[in-house]
Amino acid sequence: MITLSSDFGSPYPAAMRGVILQRTDARLVDVAHDLPRQDVRAGAFWLREVLPWFPPAVHLVVIDPGVGTDRHAIVVRAGEHAIVAPDNGVAIPVARRLAPADSFDVFRIVEQDPATASGDWPPVAESSTFHGRDVFAPAAAQVHDVGIQELETDPGFEPLEEYVDLRFPSPTSEESRVFGEVLVTDDFGNAITNIPGDVIADQFGTTVTVNGKEWPVAETYARVDPGTALVTVGSHENVELAVNQGRGEDAFEVAVGDEVTIAW
Amino acid sequence: MITLSSDFGSPYPAAMRGVILQRTDARLVDVAHDLPRQDVRAGAFWLREVLPWFPPAVHLVVIDPGVGTDRHAIVVRAGEHAIVAPDNGVAIPVARRLAPADSFDVFRIVEQDPATASGDWPPVAESSTFHGRDVFAPAAAQVHDVGIQELETDPGFEPLEEYVDLRFPSPTSEESRVFGEVLVTDDFGNAITNIPGDVIADQFGTTVTVNGKEWPVAETYARVDPGTALVTVGSHENVELAVNQGRGEDAFEVAVGDEVTIAW
Amino acid sequence: MITLSSDFGSPYPAAMRGVILQRTDARLVDVAHDLPRQDVRAGAFWLREVLPWFPPAVHLVVIDPGVGTDRHAIVVRAGEHAIVAPDNGVAIPVARRLAPADSFDVFRIVEQDPATASGDWPPVAESSTFHGRDVFAPAAAQVHDVGIQELETDPGFEPLEEYVDLRFPSPTSEESRVFGEVLVTDDFGNAITNIPGDVIADQFGTTVTVNGKEWPVAETYARVDPGTALVTVGSHENVELAVNQGRGEDAFEVAVGDEVTIAW
């Protein structure tokens, strides 16, 4: 199985599907192609939340503001999964979740001559602007067919010691306050913070202060009236600022990167 | 085969795909994940229009403004199809179309302990905010593998007598007038009413009055000039207010729920 | 394998998937359903860029402003591929790319009586507004199962001599100037011209004048600072007006169809 994730919108992902299908019979499953544009941190967050729900698979991930520069193309092997991605950190948070105690391996994808590449697809020169199609998609097919646990045996992959790491900012706390920030907002307008949900998990039915104003804490959206704001724990187990059938980012007046202080 | 429909946007549907693929080899087919947000009636309309075109399948449907409350999760068995959905009416209009004379059966999905659930996917506690992933997706996989006609044999499903019904409003008429309303608008801006198409089917080439103004009646969009409004019969066999290569909702100045009166 | 492309948005493409799956076990792969609405030329451009990356397949393509008129429904056989589409030119540029020296064949899809059509799907009358579901999807399944090279043997397909052609406008040049236009813009806001990339391929690192202003020429987006405009060669091998992590159409103040003059 190969999953596909990108910030390409449409129709570019179809070219990646075609290139993969030229080379392998693997099952293809789209994750999303509207990940926040060229936002490596937000992409890393969503992949960490979504990919672990899949069975063992090769995950093709292309959020690549550095396309055409000398950043590496890598494969991160984490447990029974492999993530094929640019070396910009996007694959690391999900690798940490898939492989306990940072026991993941990173490989560099060695550039291959299209003239000698396997398969009968049109031999083209690599473009400078679309490595999703020209580098990452062929590599994902290759990882799938070589086998996630056999990468050491293939000259297309070389162990890589140094890679770009990415960690989400950690919240801090003092007495009865926690200081965090908005990591991402979702399609519903929910503002998802980096504050762990257990901070409010014993306060459902009460209120907390967020950025100086008081709000109800509730176990789920429908516990408050439609249009009413609430502080809840999202499916990602972080504190989430939401509105039942509305947009939390508007009610709480926050955007990605904004500080969030919760106080009792 | 399992189809997936929701109002989740992106990337949440991918977690449902992953959970299903952890548990079954069923073919997955996406219907749509941009159904009108938390609009049960509009979702019910689109599902009634689209799902009957599929071969026998399990249809996972999640439009669920009541997530986390005590509303049931249900399976509606209609002919050779099964619809897995929240008990809010979203599944009923399509069930009526799939099973003549209301001969459909409703089952309650019995909550299962993740610790004893089948499969080797990560055992997690059920979230309060994402039952699509934690309740409905596992249930769809289970319905698929148990068999649509064998639900009575599985302790995960209990017959349910009382469920939430949903019927679209019926048009009324007097003399040479029909009173209906706009049920939904589509991506093209066509305003789809609840008025059956046969009301105008013998009037192609003439005009009718809609909400007090006169408009041409035509068999299809291209029968009028680009940019020209028309009254036609859509593929759903209802009267549709449209503009050739434009947006009917703008030309007719109507939105979902607005009254539509057709007169001769 | 059957690929699906349209300008339908959502959820109409799902009805096409269902109709095909009623009739064949072929693998389905979505290309895009948000191709520019009713824009035959832009659709033809994207299909030419994307479909050749696929292995041999039947490609269902529905951009059909003339639905319900007497325009033909056709199959274009180009090499090992077949494109099922309305006869409005949308399929021709990709056919020219797939079949060297215009060696493609065009067939008319002969209308079939739903009552005698194969498969056990609901026999319905053909609608006037949704031929994607009622004409093209069944035809794509039929082409797949009959076999791309066997269309002559099936009464559902008749050779067609006269069909609607479509060619993109060619750029012209004089001395040190090239005159072209914007063919399409993509989701990133890149303005893709009809000017071949080799016009600027030896000028990376220098500047050119576009529509009277001077801009840097660079091999890829990240060669200039974020927010900076550049002239580059896109993955389609045409000159592209772009901004690193921004929108080229805004910086260059151009839209589809606008003239683009490059001078040295």
Side-chain angles (χ1 to χ4, degrees):
Chain A
M1 185 184 304
I2 299 176
T3 79
L4 296 89
S5 305
S6 77
D7 65 350
F8 287 162
S10 172
Y12 293 117
M16 299 200 296
R17 291 181 202 116
V19 165
I20 294 173
L21 291 166
Q22 289 268 15
R23 293 169 160 250
T24 176
D25 283 331
R27 185 171 189 158
L28 300 194
V29 184
D30 282 301
V31 168
H33 293 289
D34 54 0
L35 292 173
R37 181 95 356 125
Q38 301 192 323
D39 183 337
V40 171
R41 193 178 84 163
F45 175 84
W46 287 118
L47 296 170
R48 189 190 68 174
E49 295 307 311
V50 169
L51 298 188
W53 296 97
F54 279 86
V58 176
H59 304 285
L60 169 61
V61 170
V62 195
I63 301 178
D64 191 16
V67 62
T69 65
D70 58 3
R71 64 98 191 85
H72 287 130
I74 61 173
V75 186
V76 181
R77 180 172 61 202
E80 298 181 277
H81 296 253
I83 305 138
V84 174
D87 181 22
N88 59 19
V90 73
I92 305 304
V94 63
R96 286 216 167 83
R97 187 155 290 184
L98 288 167
D102 287 14
S103 63
F104 56 84
D105 303 306
V106 181
F107 298 83
R108 188 172 72 85
I109 296 167
V110 181
E111 221 167 298
Q112 296 188 288
D113 183 353
T116 62
S118 59
D120 58 348
W121 56 300
V124 295
E126 183 181 303
S127 73
S128 298
T129 55
F130 195 2
H131 284 192
R133 179 190 73 193
D134 300 338
V135 175
F136 294 107
Q142 196 172 348
V143 171
H144 180 272
D145 285 357
V146 166
I148 292 171
Q149 306 306 332
E150 313 296 328
L151 297 181
E152 286 87 346
T153 69
D154 192 283
F157 308 99
E158 283 183 357
L160 183 69
E161 292 302 316
E162 303 268 319
Y163 57 87
V164 176
D165 198 358
L166 187 156
R167 290 176 189 269
F168 300 115
S170 294
T172 57
S173 64
E174 64 174 31
E175 295 176 28
S176 62
R177 294 199 288 180
V178 180
F179 307 95
E181 69 173 83
V182 176
L183 280 183
V184 297
T185 56
D186 70 13
D187 270 7
F188 287 81
N190 299 316
I192 300 167
T193 73
N194 64 337
I195 301 172
D198 52 23
V199 162
I200 58 162
D202 58 352
Q203 302 183 60
F204 295 136
T206 70
T207 62
V208 292
T209 301
V210 177
N211 292 353
K213 290 179 69 176
E214 205 168 333
W215 309 88
V217 182
E219 198 177 351
T220 188
Y221 313 121
R223 295 274 184 235
V224 300
D225 291 334
T228 300
L230 70 155
V231 181
T232 188
V233 181
S235 59
H236 30 70
E237 295 171 24
N238 286 5
V239 170
E240 184 176 302
L241 310 178
V243 169
N244 182 21
Q245 301 185 35
R247 301 189 72 81
E249 57 186 346
D250 297 340
F252 287 86
E253 297 180 342
V254 290
V256 171
D258 284 359
E259 285 181 25
V260 174
T261 302
I262 300 182
W264 296 266
Chain B
M1 185 183 307
I2 299 177
T3 79
L4 295 88
S5 305
S6 77
D7 65 351
F8 287 163
S10 173
Y12 294 117
M16 299 199 296
R17 290 181 202 117
V19 165
I20 294 172
L21 291 167
Q22 289 269 15
R23 294 169 160 251
T24 177
D25 283 332
R27 185 171 190 157
L28 300 194
V29 184
D30 282 301
V31 169
H33 293 288
D34 55 358
L35 292 172
R37 180 87 10 113
Q38 302 192 322
D39 184 338
V40 170
R41 192 178 84 163
F45 175 84
W46 287 118
L47 296 170
R48 188 189 68 174
E49 294 308 309
V50 169
L51 298 188
W53 295 97
F54 279 85
V58 176
H59 304 285
L60 169 61
V61 169
V62 195
I63 299 179
D64 191 15
V67 61
T69 64
D70 57 2
R71 63 99 190 81
H72 287 129
I74 61 173
V75 186
V76 182
R77 179 172 62 202
E80 299 181 278
H81 296 254
I83 305 138
V84 175
D87 181 24
N88 59 18
V90 72
I92 304 304
V94 64
R96 285 216 168 83
R97 186 154 291 184
L98 288 167
D102 287 13
S103 62
F104 56 84
D105 303 306
V106 181
F107 299 83
R108 186 171 75 85
I109 296 169
V110 181
E111 220 167 300
Q112 296 189 288
D113 183 352
T116 61
S118 59
D120 58 349
W121 55 302
V124 295
E126 183 182 304
S127 74
S128 298
T129 55
F130 194 3
H131 284 192
R133 179 191 73 193
D134 300 337
V135 174
F136 295 106
Q142 196 172 347
V143 171
H144 181 272
D145 285 358
V146 166
I148 291 171
Q149 306 306 332
E150 314 296 329
L151 296 181
E152 286 86 347
T153 69
D154 192 282
F157 309 100
E158 282 183 358
L160 185 70
E161 293 301 317
E162 304 267 319
Y163 56 86
V164 176
D165 198 359
L166 188 156
R167 289 175 189 272
F168 300 115
S170 293
T172 57
S173 63
E174 64 174 34
E175 295 177 31
S176 64
R177 293 200 289 179
V178 179
F179 307 95
E181 68 174 84
V182 176
L183 280 184
V184 296
T185 57
D186 70 12
D187 271 8
F188 287 82
N190 299 316
I192 300 168
T193 72
N194 63 338
I195 300 172
D198 50 23
V199 162
I200 58 162
D202 58 351
Q203 303 185 59
F204 295 135
T206 71
T207 62
V208 293
T209 300
V210 177
N211 292 352
K213 289 180 69 176
E214 205 167 335
W215 308 90
V217 182
E219 198 177 352
T220 187
Y221 313 121
R223 294 275 184 237
V224 300
D225 291 335
T228 299
L230 70 155
V231 181
T232 189
V233 181
S235 58
H236 31 71
E237 295 170 22
N238 286 5
V239 170
E240 183 175 305
L241 310 178
V243 169
N244 183 20
Q245 302 184 36
R247 301 188 70 81
E249 58 186 344
D250 297 340
F252 288 85
E253 296 179 342
V254 289
V256 172
D258 284 0
E259 285 181 25
V260 174
T261 302
I262 300 182
W264 297 265
Chain C
M1 186 183 304
I2 300 177
T3 79
L4 296 90
S5 305
S6 77
D7 65 350
F8 287 163
S10 174
Y12 294 117
M16 299 200 296
R17 292 181 201 117
V19 165
I20 294 172
L21 292 167
Q22 290 267 15
R23 291 168 162 253
T24 176
D25 283 331
R27 186 172 189 156
L28 300 194
V29 184
D30 283 300
V31 168
H33 293 288
D34 55 358
L35 292 172
R37 180 89 7 115
Q38 302 192 322
D39 184 337
V40 170
R41 192 178 85 162
F45 174 84
W46 286 119
L47 295 168
R48 189 190 68 175
E49 295 308 310
V50 169
L51 298 187
W53 295 98
F54 279 84
V58 177
H59 304 285
L60 169 61
V61 170
V62 195
I63 300 178
D64 191 17
V67 62
T69 64
D70 58 2
R71 64 100 190 82
H72 287 129
I74 61 173
V75 186
V76 182
R77 179 171 62 202
E80 299 180 278
H81 296 253
I83 304 139
V84 175
D87 181 23
N88 59 19
V90 71
I92 305 304
V94 63
R96 285 216 168 83
R97 186 153 290 184
L98 288 167
D102 287 11
S103 62
F104 56 84
D105 302 306
V106 181
F107 299 83
R108 186 172 73 85
I109 296 169
V110 181
E111 219 166 300
Q112 295 189 288
D113 183 352
T116 61
S118 60
D120 58 349
W121 56 301
V124 295
E126 183 181 304
S127 74
S128 297
T129 55
F130 195 3
H131 284 192
R133 180 191 70 192
D134 300 336
V135 175
F136 295 106
Q142 195 172 348
V143 171
H144 181 271
D145 286 356
V146 166
I148 293 171
Q149 306 307 332
E150 313 297 329
L151 296 181
E152 285 87 347
T153 69
D154 192 283
F157 309 99
E158 283 182 358
L160 184 69
E161 293 302 317
E162 304 267 320
Y163 57 86
V164 176
D165 198 359
L166 188 156
R167 291 175 188 271
F168 301 115
S170 294
T172 57
S173 63
E174 64 174 30
E175 294 177 30
S176 63
R177 292 200 288 182
V178 180
F179 307 95
E181 68 174 83
V182 176
L183 280 183
V184 297
T185 57
D186 70 13
D187 271 7
F188 288 81
N190 298 316
I192 300 168
T193 73
N194 63 339
I195 300 172
D198 51 22
V199 162
I200 59 162
D202 58 351
Q203 302 186 60
F204 295 135
T206 70
T207 62
V208 293
T209 300
V210 177
N211 291 353
K213 290 181 66 176
E214 206 168 335
W215 308 90
V217 182
E219 199 177 350
T220 187
Y221 313 121
R223 295 275 183 235
V224 300
D225 291 334
T228 299
L230 70 156
V231 181
T232 188
V233 181
S235 59
H236 30 72
E237 295 171 23
N238 286 6
V239 170
E240 183 176 302
L241 310 178
V243 169
N244 183 21
Q245 302 183 36
R247 301 189 72 80
E249 58 186 344
D250 296 341
F252 287 85
E253 297 180 342
V254 290
V256 172
D258 283 0
E259 285 182 25
V260 174
T261 303
I262 299 182
W264 295 267

Coordinates of all heavy atoms in Angstrom, one line a residue, chain C residues 42-82:
Chain C
A42 N -8.6 24.9 -21.3 CA -7.8 24.6 -20.0 C -7.8 23.1 -19.7 O -6.8 22.6 -19.3 CB -8.3 25.5 -18.9
G43 N -8.9 22.5 -19.8 CA -9.0 21.1 -19.5 C -8.1 20.3 -20.5 O -7.4 19.4 -20.0
A44 N -8.1 20.7 -21.7 CA -7.3 20.0 -22.7 C -5.8 20.1 -22.3 O -5.0 19.2 -22.5 CB -7.5 20.5 -24.1
F45 N -5.4 21.3 -21.8 CA -4.0 21.5 -21.4 C -3.7 20.6 -20.3 O -2.7 19.9 -20.3 CB -3.8 23.0 -21.0 CG -2.4 23.2 -20.4 CD1 -1.4 23.5 -21.3 CD2 -2.2 23.2 -19.1 CE1 -0.1 23.7 -20.8 CE2 -0.9 23.4 -18.6 CZ 0.1 23.6 -19.4
W46 N -4.5 20.6 -19.2 CA -4.1 19.8 -18.0 C -4.1 18.3 -18.4 O -3.2 17.5 -17.9 CB -5.1 20.0 -16.9 CG -4.9 21.4 -16.3 CD1 -5.7 22.4 -16.2 CD2 -3.6 21.8 -15.6 NE1 -5.1 23.5 -15.5 CE2 -3.9 23.1 -15.2 CE3 -2.4 21.2 -15.4 CZ2 -2.9 23.9 -14.5 CZ3 -1.4 21.9 -14.7 CH2 -1.7 23.2 -14.3
L47 N -5.0 17.8 -19.2 CA -5.1 16.4 -19.6 C -3.8 16.0 -20.4 O -3.2 15.0 -20.2 CB -6.3 16.1 -20.3 CG -7.6 16.3 -19.5 CD1 -8.8 16.2 -20.4 CD2 -7.7 15.3 -18.4
R48 N -3.4 16.9 -21.2 CA -2.2 16.7 -22.0 C -1.0 16.6 -21.1 O 0.0 15.8 -21.3 CB -1.9 17.8 -23.0 CG -0.8 17.5 -24.0 CD -0.5 18.7 -24.8 NE 0.2 19.7 -24.0 CZ 0.7 20.9 -24.5 NH1 0.6 21.1 -25.8 NH2 1.2 21.8 -23.7
E49 N -1.0 17.3 -20.0 CA 0.2 17.3 -19.1 C 0.2 16.1 -18.1 O 1.2 15.6 -17.7 CB 0.2 18.6 -18.2 CG 0.4 19.8 -19.0 CD 1.7 19.7 -19.8 OE1 2.7 19.3 -19.3 OE2 1.6 20.0 -21.0
V50 N -1.0 15.6 -17.8 CA -1.1 14.6 -16.8 C -1.3 13.2 -17.3 O -0.7 12.2 -16.8 CB -2.3 14.9 -15.8 CG1 -2.6 13.8 -14.9 CG2 -1.9 16.2 -15.0
L51 N -2.2 13.0 -18.3 CA -2.6 11.6 -18.6 C -1.4 10.8 -19.2 O -1.3 9.6 -19.0 CB -3.7 11.6 -19.7 CG -5.1 12.2 -19.1 CD1 -6.2 12.0 -20.2 CD2 -5.5 11.6 -17.8
P52 N -0.4 11.4 -19.9 CA 0.6 10.6 -20.5 C 1.5 9.9 -19.4 O 2.3 9.0 -19.7 CB 1.5 11.6 -21.3 CG 0.5 12.6 -21.7 CD -0.4 12.8 -20.5
W53 N 1.4 10.4 -18.1 CA 2.2 9.7 -17.1 C 1.6 8.4 -16.6 O 2.2 7.7 -15.8 CB 2.3 10.7 -15.9 CG 3.1 11.9 -16.2 CD1 2.6 13.1 -16.6 CD2 4.5 12.0 -16.3 NE1 3.6 14.0 -16.9 CE2 4.8 13.3 -16.8 CE3 5.6 11.1 -16.1 CZ2 6.1 13.7 -17.0 CZ3 6.9 11.5 -16.3 CH2 7.1 12.8 -16.8
F54 N 0.4 8.1 -17.1 CA -0.3 6.9 -16.7 C 0.1 5.7 -17.5 O 0.4 5.9 -18.7 CB -1.8 7.0 -16.7 CG -2.4 7.8 -15.5 CD1 -2.4 9.1 -15.4 CD2 -2.9 7.0 -14.4 CE1 -2.9 9.8 -14.3 CE2 -3.3 7.7 -13.3 CZ -3.4 9.0 -13.2
P55 N 0.0 4.5 -17.0 CA 0.1 3.3 -17.9 C -1.1 3.3 -18.8 O -2.1 4.0 -18.6 CB 0.2 2.2 -16.9 CG -0.5 2.7 -15.6 CD -0.2 4.2 -15.6
P56 N -1.1 2.4 -19.8 CA -2.2 2.3 -20.7 C -3.5 2.2 -19.9 O -3.6 1.4 -19.0 CB -1.9 1.0 -21.4 CG -0.5 0.9 -21.5 CD 0.0 1.4 -20.1
A57 N -4.5 3.0 -20.3 CA -5.7 3.1 -19.5 C -6.8 3.7 -20.4 O -6.6 4.3 -21.5 CB -5.5 4.0 -18.3
V58 N -8.1 3.5 -19.9 CA -9.2 4.2 -20.5 C -9.4 5.5 -19.6 O -9.5 5.4 -18.4 CB -10.5 3.4 -20.4 CG1 -11.7 4.2 -20.9 CG2 -10.3 2.1 -21.2
H59 N -9.4 6.6 -20.3 CA -9.5 7.9 -19.6 C -10.9 8.5 -19.8 O -11.2 8.9 -21.0 CB -8.4 8.9 -20.0 CG -7.0 8.3 -19.9 ND1 -6.4 8.2 -18.7 CD2 -6.2 7.8 -20.8 CE1 -5.2 7.7 -18.8 NE2 -5.0 7.4 -20.1
L60 N -11.7 8.6 -18.8 CA -13.0 9.2 -18.9 C -12.9 10.7 -18.6 O -12.3 11.1 -17.6 CB -14.0 8.6 -17.9 CG -15.3 9.3 -17.6 CD1 -16.1 9.3 -18.8 CD2 -16.0 8.5 -16.5
V61 N -13.3 11.6 -19.6 CA -13.1 13.0 -19.5 C -14.4 13.7 -19.7 O -14.9 13.6 -20.8 CB -12.0 13.5 -20.5 CG1 -12.0 15.0 -20.6 CG2 -10.6 12.9 -20.2
V62 N -14.9 14.4 -18.8 CA -16.2 15.1 -19.0 C -16.1 16.6 -18.6 O -16.2 17.0 -17.5 CB -17.3 14.5 -18.2 CG1 -18.6 15.0 -18.8 CG2 -17.3 13.0 -18.3
I63 N -15.8 17.4 -19.7 CA -15.9 18.9 -19.6 C -16.8 19.1 -20.8 O -16.4 19.0 -21.9 CB -14.6 19.6 -19.7 CG1 -13.7 19.2 -18.6 CG2 -14.9 21.1 -19.7 CD1 -12.3 19.9 -18.7
D64 N -18.1 19.5 -20.5 CA -19.1 19.3 -21.6 C -20.1 20.4 -21.6 O -21.3 20.2 -21.3 CB -19.8 18.0 -21.3 CG -20.7 17.5 -22.4 OD1 -20.5 18.0 -23.5 OD2 -21.5 16.6 -22.1
P65 N -19.7 21.7 -21.9 CA -20.7 22.7 -22.0 C -21.8 22.5 -22.9 O -22.9 23.1 -22.8 CB -19.9 24.0 -22.4 CG -18.5 23.5 -22.7 CD -18.3 22.1 -22.2
G66 N -21.6 21.6 -23.9 CA -22.7 21.3 -24.9 C -23.6 20.1 -24.5 O -24.3 19.6 -25.4
V67 N -23.6 19.7 -23.2 CA -24.4 18.5 -22.8 C -25.8 18.7 -23.3 O -26.4 19.8 -23.1 CB -24.3 18.3 -21.3 CG1 -24.8 19.4 -20.5 CG2 -25.0 17.0 -21.0
G68 N -26.4 17.7 -23.9 CA -27.8 17.7 -24.2 C -28.0 18.2 -25.6 O -29.1 18.1 -26.2
T69 N -27.0 18.8 -26.3 CA -27.1 19.2 -27.7 C -26.8 17.9 -28.5 O -26.5 16.9 -28.0 CB -26.2 20.3 -28.0 OG1 -24.8 19.9 -27.9 CG2 -26.4 21.5 -27.1
D70 N -26.6 18.1 -29.8 CA -26.3 17.0 -30.7 C -24.8 16.7 -30.9 O -24.5 16.0 -31.8 CB -27.1 17.1 -32.0 CG -26.7 18.3 -32.8 OD1 -25.8 19.1 -32.2 OD2 -27.2 18.6 -33.8
R71 N -24.0 17.3 -30.1 CA -22.6 17.0 -30.2 C -22.4 15.5 -29.9 O -23.1 15.0 -29.1 CB -21.7 17.9 -29.2 CG -22.0 17.7 -27.8 CD -21.0 16.8 -27.0 NE -21.4 16.5 -25.7 CZ -22.3 15.5 -25.4 NH1 -22.8 14.8 -26.4 NH2 -22.6 15.3 -24.1
H72 N -21.4 14.9 -30.6 CA -21.2 13.5 -30.4 C -20.5 13.2 -29.1 O -19.8 14.1 -28.5 CB -20.3 13.0 -31.6 CG -21.0 12.8 -32.9 ND1 -20.5 13.4 -34.0 CD2 -22.2 12.3 -33.2 CE1 -21.3 13.1 -35.0 NE2 -22.3 12.4 -34.6
A73 N -20.7 12.0 -28.7 CA -19.8 11.4 -27.6 C -18.8 10.5 -28.4 O -19.2 9.8 -29.3 CB -20.6 10.6 -26.7
I74 N -17.5 10.7 -28.0 CA -16.5 10.0 -28.8 C -15.5 9.2 -27.9 O -15.4 9.4 -26.7 CB -15.7 11.0 -29.7 CG1 -14.9 12.0 -28.9 CG2 -16.6 11.6 -30.7 CD1 -14.0 12.9 -29.7
V75 N -14.8 8.3 -28.6 CA -13.6 7.6 -28.0 C -12.5 7.9 -28.9 O -12.6 7.7 -30.1 CB -13.8 6.1 -27.9 CG1 -12.6 5.5 -27.2 CG2 -15.1 5.7 -27.3
V76 N -11.4 8.4 -28.3 CA -10.2 8.7 -29.1 C -9.2 7.6 -28.7 O -8.8 7.6 -27.5 CB -9.6 10.1 -28.9 CG1 -8.4 10.3 -29.7 CG2 -10.7 11.2 -29.2
R77 N -8.7 6.8 -29.6 CA -7.7 5.8 -29.3 C -6.4 6.3 -29.7 O -6.1 6.6 -30.9 CB -8.0 4.5 -30.1 CG -7.0 3.4 -29.8 CD -7.4 2.1 -30.3 NE -7.5 2.1 -31.8 CZ -8.2 1.3 -32.5 NH1 -8.9 0.3 -31.9 NH2 -8.3 1.4 -33.8
A78 N -5.5 6.5 -28.8 CA -4.2 7.0 -29.0 C -3.1 6.1 -28.4 O -3.0 6.0 -27.2 CB -4.1 8.4 -28.4
G79 N -2.4 5.4 -29.3 CA -1.5 4.4 -28.7 C -2.2 3.4 -27.9 O -3.2 2.8 -28.4
E80 N -1.8 3.1 -26.7 CA -2.4 2.1 -25.9 C -3.5 2.7 -25.0 O -4.0 2.0 -24.1 CB -1.4 1.4 -25.1 CG -0.3 0.6 -25.9 CD 0.7 -0.1 -25.0 OE1 1.7 0.6 -24.5 OE2 0.5 -1.3 -24.8
H81 N -3.7 4.0 -25.2 CA -4.7 4.7 -24.4 C -6.0 4.9 -25.1 O -6.0 5.0 -26.4 CB -4.2 6.0 -23.9 CG -3.0 5.9 -23.0 ND1 -3.0 6.2 -21.7 CD2 -1.7 5.6 -23.3 CE1 -1.8 6.0 -21.1 NE2 -1.0 5.7 -22.1
A82 N -7.1 5.1 -24.4 CA -8.4 5.5 -25.0 C -8.9 6.6 -24.2 O -8.9 6.6 -22.9 CB -9.3 4.4 -25.1

